[in-house]
Amino acid sequence: MESTMELDELKQAWQSLDRQLQQQKRINLELLTETRLRKAKAGLRWLQALSVGQILVGLVVTVFCARFWIAHMEAPALLLSGIVLHVYGVAMIIAGVMEMLLLVRTDYAAQVVTIQKYLNLLRQWRIRTRRWFGLAQWILWIPVILVMLEYWLGFDLWTHSPATVGGFLAVGVTGLLLTLWLMYGSPRALRRRVAGYVDDNSTGALLKRAQATLDEIVRFERE
């Protein structure tokens, strides 16, 4: 009888200890989750600030270029340059607003899995938009030069030297085609390296740090 009672007491003690351990684990998980989420969201707020900056720059570009091409409708090259940069400014605004929407949803989400979902959507959006913005740079620098020369110096480069603009276009198109080949037509190993480089740079250090923090929380929960 005494042996049976000792076994029952030992069993109850083990059960009590197990409950205490489970409770302590939950407390540790809550503390880790709260601390890590606070850290991750602080980094994401910097991304929000960058997105706001992008929207503001896009607004400035859009307004300036709209006024520019309206004032130069008699000059086809300047008109086209202003419209191209106007469209680019609108694209910057749209991309920035989309990032802001995803970041706001991420900031107010409570569940780690939900935050990971929105961060993944944000990462995919940034990769897609940064890729196309990067490709556009091969051509956009040409209308930038034309617009700035006219705005600052009153000098129409196309009118005075169309061959120079043609040379710029040749350089830009060559660079664009080479970049497209590296991204989509090069050997598989090289294409993967280029894609990985582009994706890493498009994601950004702040977003990668936030994703790593959330992954750490998920690993702790599984353990």
Side-chain angles (χ1 to χ4, degrees), residues 32-33 35-40 112 116 207-219:
L32 175 67
T33 302
T35 303
R36 291 292 187 265
L37 281 178
R38 191 182 301 116
K39 179 181 177 181
V112 175
Q116 284 184 312
L207 182 55
K208 286 190 288 188
R209 194 177 302 129
Q211 288 181 314
T213 300
L214 295 176
D215 291 341
E216 181 182 356
I217 296 174
V218 172
R219 284 195 301 269

Side-chain angles (χ1 to χ4, degrees), residues 165-181:
V165 179
F168 289 166
L169 282 172
V171 172
V173 171
T174 300
L176 177 61
L177 293 177
L178 178 60
T179 304
L180 288 172
W181 177 80

Side-chain angles (χ1 to χ4, degrees), residues 91-159:
M92 288 181 65
I93 296 172
I94 293 173
V97 169
M98 283 296 298
E99 288 190 17
M100 278 294 299
L101 292 175
L102 290 172
L103 285 166
V104 169
R105 295 293 297 272
T106 299
D107 188 49
Y108 287 98
Q111 299 296 325
V112 175
V113 175
T114 304
I115 297 175
Q116 284 184 312
K117 172 187 174 182
Y118 283 114
L119 284 185
N120 187 51
L121 290 174
L122 176 61
R123 179 178 180 272
Q124 294 176 1
W125 174 256
R126 285 176 64 91
I127 289 174
R128 188 178 300 112
T129 55
R130 295 305 187 276
R131 182 176 297 177
W132 289 110
F133 282 156
L135 289 173
Q137 300 303 318
W138 281 111
I139 304 297
L140 283 176
W141 64 276
I142 303 170
V144 168
I145 290 177
L146 293 175
V147 169
M148 290 299 99
L149 285 176
E150 172 63 25
Y151 181 76
W152 283 332
L153 304 176
F155 180 76
D156 186 350
L157 181 61
W158 172 259
T159 300

